[in-house]
Amino acid sequence: MTLVARRRFLSGLTASGTLLLTGCGEDPPTYGNLLRVGDWFTYKAHRLLLPRSSLAREYDRKDISATVAIGTTDPADDHQGSFDPEWGRKWAELAMGDFRDWKLEVAGAVARPGSYSLQELMRFQPRTQITKHSCEEGWSAISEWTGVPLRTVLEHAGILPSAKFVNFLAYDANPDSIDMIDALHPQTILAYGMNGQTLPRAHGAPIRLRVERQLGYKNVKYIRRIEVTERFTDPGPTGLIQSGWSWYTGI
Ligand SMILES: Nc1nc2c(c(=O)[nH]1)N[C@H]1C(S)=C(S)[C@@H](COP(=O)(O)O)O[C@H]1N2
Ligand SMILES: [Mo]
């Protein structure tokens, strides 16, 4: 096949695929792109073929890893590329007060936008799960995570029927987003505990996302704000998809 014919073939597939698969949610626009056709098929195939709430494997206490790598730099370290001058200093300040003054903002396509303190989040029915974190750099670790299901918080804020994606903004420059299928999945939690302890600063305090059916980098740490969106919006110029990472990394 010549390159041009192959291109036509591939874009034909995309077009007919879109035709066939409309109705299963809005496409992240990155996925209409020829270069991204592989990712797009993975996303669509997972969303079509896998049961929406199939659970990621959960492990036993005895499987918990003794040491876990740290996949970020310190959000308060202004020498780092991912340092956010506005929010990095704020995180350092909040950390000094053990996050007593921290609040999670919930905004966007919800009936009751607002904010939640750590204590308020802890008052919701918690969920604990022992799962494997798989970093795209090749390491993995099993840990026990405790937190509030994202679904509980979103339902408390009142998800509007038009909601399609959830963006997570962090105290460093690493925003990301997931679709509503992952957002409402029972194992998707806002974790404030790890291995029976308060979530350590190095692992994303005060809360970090656990989205168990995707690769490591989707598990946003140091969350400050959640935005429910009606359309796929790249959560910012520093988002990982800007530097070529797949938005969907289902495993
Ligand atoms: N805010 C933020 N979240 C992040 C990252 C980051 O740089 N900033 N790195 C990701 C990557 S690549 C991985 S592997 C995990 C690492 O989590 P850990 O440090 O708790 O092991 O966090 C993810 N979440
Ligand atoms: Mo990672």
Side-chain angles (χ1 to χ4, degrees), residues 69-72 133 135-136 139 170 172 174 203 208 217 219 221:
I70 310 286
T72 52
H133 176 97
C135 170
E136 66 297 338
W139 58 271
D172 63 0
N174 281 281
H203 289 291
R208 62 102 48 87
Y217 65 83
N219 293 270
K221 298 163 66 174

Side-chain angles (χ1 to χ4, degrees), residues 24-39:
C24 81
E26 190 163 313
D27 286 343
T30 340
Y31 292 84
N33 174 325
L34 183 64
L35 291 170
R36 287 291 197 185
V37 87
D39 296 343

Side-chain angles (χ1 to χ4, degrees), residues 47 150 164-168 176-184 188 209 211 214 218 229 232 247:
R47 287 295 175 251
L150 178 61
K164 292 274 172 20
F165 297 94
V166 180
N167 288 355
F168 300 89
D176 211 332
S177 68
I178 58 177
D179 68 8
M180 287 311 287
I181 295 176
D182 268 336
L184 301 178
T188 300
L209 180 66
V211 51
Q214 294 212 45
K218 297 296 288 189
T229 66
F232 180 80
W247 172 80

Side-chain angles (χ1 to χ4, degrees), residues 26 48-49 51 62 65 70 72 78 95 103 109 111 115 157 162 171-172 174 190 211 215 237 241:
E26 190 163 313
L48 262 187
L49 303 174
K62 66 171 168 38
S65 309
I70 310 286
T72 52
D78 60 4
K103 283 206 164 200
S115 59
S162 54
Y171 286 96
D172 63 0
N174 281 281
L190 298 173
V211 51
L215 278 183
I241 56 173

Side-chain angles (χ1 to χ4, degrees), residues 36-57:
R36 287 291 197 185
V37 87
D39 296 343
W40 186 87
F41 276 118
T42 312
Y43 177 63
K44 282 300 175 192
H46 275 194
R47 287 295 175 251
L48 262 187
L49 303 174
L50 299 178
R52 293 191 160 210
S53 56
S54 68
L55 296 180
R57 178 169 170 198

Side-chain angles (χ1 to χ4, degrees), residues 13-211:
L13 271 184
T14 312
S16 59
T18 310
L19 220 68
L20 270 176
L21 304 176
T22 44
C24 81
E26 190 163 313
D27 286 343
T30 340
Y31 292 84
N33 174 325
L34 183 64
L35 291 170
R36 287 291 197 185
V37 87
D39 296 343
W40 186 87
F41 276 118
T42 312
Y43 177 63
K44 282 300 175 192
H46 275 194
R47 287 295 175 251
L48 262 187
L49 303 174
L50 299 178
R52 293 191 160 210
S53 56
S54 68
L55 296 180
R57 178 169 170 198
E58 296 196 13
Y59 295 78
D60 293 328
R61 282 242 155 75
K62 66 171 168 38
D63 303 318
I64 292 175
S65 309
T67 55
V68 181
I70 310 286
T72 52
T73 54
D74 177 343
D77 181 352
D78 60 4
H79 295 296
Q80 303 297 331
S82 59
F83 178 71
D84 181 308
E86 182 182 1
W87 297 107
R89 291 196 183 95
K90 182 77 190 158
W91 184 85
E93 214 178 284
L94 290 167
M96 267 193 307
D98 278 330
F99 300 105
R100 272 185 300 274
D101 296 331
W102 172 89
K103 283 206 164 200
L104 171 70
E105 285 180 75
V106 179
V110 289
R112 295 172 293 277
S115 59
Y116 299 81
S117 68
L118 206 46
Q119 266 188 346
E120 283 168 326
L121 292 179
M122 286 173 174
R123 257 183 246 133
F124 289 117
Q125 178 70 42
R127 178 182 166 97
T128 292
Q129 60 204 30
I130 302 177
T131 51
K132 184 189 270 180
H133 176 97
S134 301
C135 170
E136 66 297 338
E137 288 177 339
W139 58 271
S140 64
I142 295 172
S143 308
E144 182 189 75
W145 304 104
T146 301
V148 53
L150 178 61
R151 179 180 196 133
T152 305
V153 178
L154 293 180
E155 283 176 349
H156 189 264
I159 314 169
L160 298 182
S162 54
K164 292 274 172 20
F165 297 94
V166 180
N167 288 355
F168 300 89
L169 303 180
Y171 286 96
D172 63 0
N174 281 281
D176 211 332
S177 68
I178 58 177
D179 68 8
M180 287 311 287
I181 295 176
D182 268 336
L184 301 178
H185 185 272
Q187 286 171 318
T188 300
I189 63 173
L190 298 173
Y192 45 71
M194 181 183 183
N195 297 336
Q197 312 280 324
T198 302
L199 180 68
R201 291 182 191 181
H203 289 291
I207 58 158
R208 62 102 48 87
L209 180 66
R210 291 302 311 164
V211 51

